[in-house]
Every structure is written in C-alpha cells, then in structure tokens.
Amino acid sequence: MITVPHPEHGVENLCAAGTELYARALREGYVLGVDAEDAPCLLDFGLLHPAVTDPERLEPVAPAVALHRMLRIAEERIADERRREARLAETFEPLMRIDGGRTGADDSPSISVLSGLDLISRVIGQAVAAGSELLAVQPNTSDRHAQQPPPVHVEAFDRDQALLDRGGRIRTLYQHTLRHAPSIVARYERLNGDVEARSLDEVTERLIIVDRTVAFIPANKDRTLALEIRHPALVAFLVTAFDRLWRLATPMYPEAVQQPTRNGVTHRQRAIAALLVEGHTDAVIADRLGMNIRTARVHIAKLAATLGSESRAQLGYLIGQSGILGQEDTGE
C-alpha cells in the first residue's frame, strides 16, 4: 500500500483532515491516536496531546489557549525579525557611508540582475503598471522546435490593456514567422487602444522598454535571469536600436502589408537565400529566422526548385546570378 505524504502547511492554513479531526476532538473530548494518522499536523502544532490517563487517546487543546500561544509565537518571530533588521542596518550603515551615503531611490543600481521567472514577471509588471509606453521585441524562440507559438498569458494581456486604457501606447516587433500565428492574431484582435505590431526576418533577443527609461533583456539562454537596465545611455542605445528596426519592419497590425513574391521567390525564401550565400548551415538559418529546421529545409527545397538547382553549391551560384538579393522590398 502506497502512503501519501501529508502536505506541508502552516497552522494558519490547517488542512481539511486536520480541521475535521480537531473539531471532532472538541465535540467528543478526545480522539484515538490511530485517527490522527491522516492529520499528524495536529500533534505537530500542539492542537492535540496524549491524555495523561491513556496515551492512546488524544485530547484537544482549547482553541482560545492554542490561539493565544500561536499569537505569542508569531509576536516573538516578528520581534526577532525586527532585531535582525536593526542588526542589518547597524552593519551596513558604515558601509553605505564608505559608498558615499547613496541611499535614495535615484541612486539605485543602473543595472540589476533579476533571478527567477516569477520575480522577472513581477518587476516588469510593476514597471508597465506605472508606465505609458511599452516597446517590445518578441523573437519566435518556441517555433524553432515546434509550430506552436508561445501562449498569450492572461496576466500580460490584462497588464497591456490597462496601459492602453490609461492612454498609453504599445509597439511590438515580431519575426515574420509569427505574422499569422493564431495566438498573436487573437491578441491584437482583443487589445483596444494605441497598439501596433510589425515584423522582420530577424530581430534581437527579447527586449522590453518602458517609458524609454528602463529596459529588460535576458541574461541567460533559458531566460531565468534578466537584466533590469536604468542607465540612461544604455537605455537610449536600446531605444535607438528599436526605433531603427521599427522603421525597417513590415506592418502586421492594425493594417497588415502583404509581403511581395517576385519571380516565384517569396520574401522568406529571399531571407534564407541571403543566409545561404553567407555559408550558414540549415540549423543556423532556422535559428536566425525563428523557425524549426524542417520548415527551413522545405523553403530551401522550394527555392532550389524555383531556381533549377540540383546541388547546394549550385544553389549558391544561382542565387547570386538570379539577382533576387538585390531586389528591394516595396511592400512596407
């Protein structure tokens, strides 16, 4: 028989089994020890104790007595924390004097490391909640391994809609591979306000800029670390990079521009062709353009068929001869 471990919880969140057994003990004056096997928390919290005359019986501690004891323990814990705070202040006060006494909010670090997805999401949410402009770059990282784009989180949607409701504006850059993703299309169909989206073949790593004063970028590959950047020169550099990419991008919302096909070669195939002539592998091409490797190889095969290529080497030569890389897009 498999024994299910009792869930960990505090006395302020007494489990259902514990609450029921404690109430029964109060009504009947005691319960048997075997009855408490499913609610060992009652013994751990001191709500039941063995009877003096019969250790097999467990008698309840009066709720008023238990509450008073628990409150006293909580007060002692709070007092310990306050003493700890006082010791911390005493320890760091001379160190802050060495650092020039910078204790105000304006002297906070220009670059901070945020660790953990929950903390990253919370800090970004706080910045957006106080802001009036959101600039974002959202690369298609998930589509490199699967055809499904990342889900649209309810919290992020509500946060963005609240910014728009305050009269703010949102500008987001995606990769072309997300132009027709159902979740992305649905997001913009629901958002109301000054919101625009554009797309490019290649974009930077994820970037979020709020009010052109604070920026967030990933600090490791799995995005469990992020940098919060408030240094004015660095934020200005990132804003300039975003603005330049924005001018080069193809509108996708609110009025999508159709990417032109010329001589049977699509816009995406021209982007692949440019990377092919640079000598990149299929895997690198897929990663750069935010698609999985199978999709990249399908486009390469179509490009080869269109140009009449029978080998990889010949394909590079025919791309150069075709002139497709010299054609400028006019569909923006």
Side-chain angles (χ1 to χ4, degrees):
M1 179 179 180
I2 299 175
T3 302
V4 178
H6 191 70
E8 294 186 6
H9 60 82
V11 66
E12 71 280 3
N13 295 313
L14 201 58
C15 64
T19 301
E20 182 179 348
L21 186 62
Y22 184 49
R24 196 178 104 201
L26 291 171
R27 286 193 303 268
E28 300 177 5
Y30 73 92
V31 293
L32 297 178
V34 67
D35 296 332
E37 291 179 357
D38 292 334
C41 55
L42 295 181
L43 287 168
D44 295 338
F45 296 143
L47 297 177
L48 294 178
H49 61 83
V52 175
T53 57
D54 184 359
E56 295 298 321
R57 291 168 42 159
L58 301 176
E59 296 178 342
V61 174
V65 174
L67 177 61
H68 179 73
R69 185 177 65 212
M70 297 296 178
L71 290 175
R72 188 172 66 251
I73 292 172
E75 289 171 356
E76 291 173 355
R77 187 165 59 246
I78 292 171
D80 287 341
E81 285 299 317
R82 286 175 177 166
R83 286 190 289 270
R84 181 172 178 269
E85 290 173 3
R87 289 195 299 270
L88 283 170
E90 183 180 352
T91 299
F92 279 88
E93 192 274 335
L95 298 174
M96 288 189 292
R97 284 203 303 269
I98 296 173
D99 193 38
R102 295 191 293 270
T103 58
D106 293 339
D107 297 308
S108 58
S110 296
I111 301 178
S112 303
V113 178
L114 307 176
S115 178
L117 297 177
D118 290 341
L119 176 61
I120 294 169
S121 178
R122 185 165 65 252
V123 173
I124 292 175
Q126 291 169 349
V128 175
S132 59
E133 182 188 55
L134 174 62
L135 308 177
V137 177
Q138 299 286 4
N140 187 15
T141 55
S142 65
D143 194 47
R144 298 168 190 177
H145 306 289
Q147 289 295 339
Q148 294 299 322
V152 177
H153 296 290
V154 174
E155 296 84 355
F157 176 85
D158 292 342
R159 176 198 71 194
D160 292 352
Q161 185 58 61
L163 183 148
L164 295 171
D165 290 342
R166 296 193 302 271
R169 72 173 198 156
I170 296 175
R171 301 291 183 265
T172 306
L173 278 170
Y174 295 96
Q175 286 183 273
H176 287 326
T177 47
L178 283 178
R179 285 183 68 85
H180 305 292
S183 63
I184 302 299
V185 172
R187 168 183 170 80
Y188 287 97
E189 287 177 347
R190 293 175 58 202
L191 283 174
N192 292 310
D194 186 1
V195 56
E196 290 185 33
R198 295 184 180 186
S199 66
L200 284 166
D201 286 310
E202 297 183 67
V203 295
T204 65
E205 254 294 353
R206 191 176 189 224
L207 170 65
I208 293 176
I209 305 172
V210 180
D211 286 352
R212 302 181 182 237
T213 58
V214 56
F216 301 89
I217 61 173
N220 63 349
K221 193 168 185 178
D222 62 5
R223 297 183 179 178
T224 56
L225 291 176
L227 297 183
E228 178 185 3
I229 303 171
R230 292 184 178 272
H231 191 290
L234 293 177
V235 175
F237 177 88
L238 294 171
V239 169
T240 299
F242 179 91
D243 287 341
R244 290 180 179 176
L245 289 174
W246 183 259
R247 286 193 293 271
L248 294 171
T250 303
M252 57 181 281
Y253 183 88
E255 294 184 7
V257 171
Q258 185 69 31
Q259 296 171 304
T261 298
R262 295 199 181 98
N263 300 326
V265 179
T266 67
H267 180 96
R268 187 173 301 178
Q269 288 166 6
R270 290 201 301 277
I272 290 174
L275 295 174
L276 279 172
V277 297
E278 292 177 8
H280 295 296
T281 65
D282 295 354
V284 170
I285 292 171
D287 188 69
R288 290 271 295 268
L289 299 182
M291 62 182 70
N292 63 50
I293 194 168
R294 293 187 302 276
T295 302
R297 285 172 176 164
V298 168
H299 283 295
I300 292 171
K302 290 180 179 178
L303 180 62
T306 300
L307 298 179
S309 171
E310 297 179 356
S311 69
R312 186 77 167 224
Q314 186 185 24
L315 179 56
Y317 171 78
L318 292 176
I319 289 172
Q321 291 295 309
S322 67
I324 61 174
L325 299 183
Q327 297 173 347
E328 297 292 334
D329 288 336
T330 60
E332 295 187 16

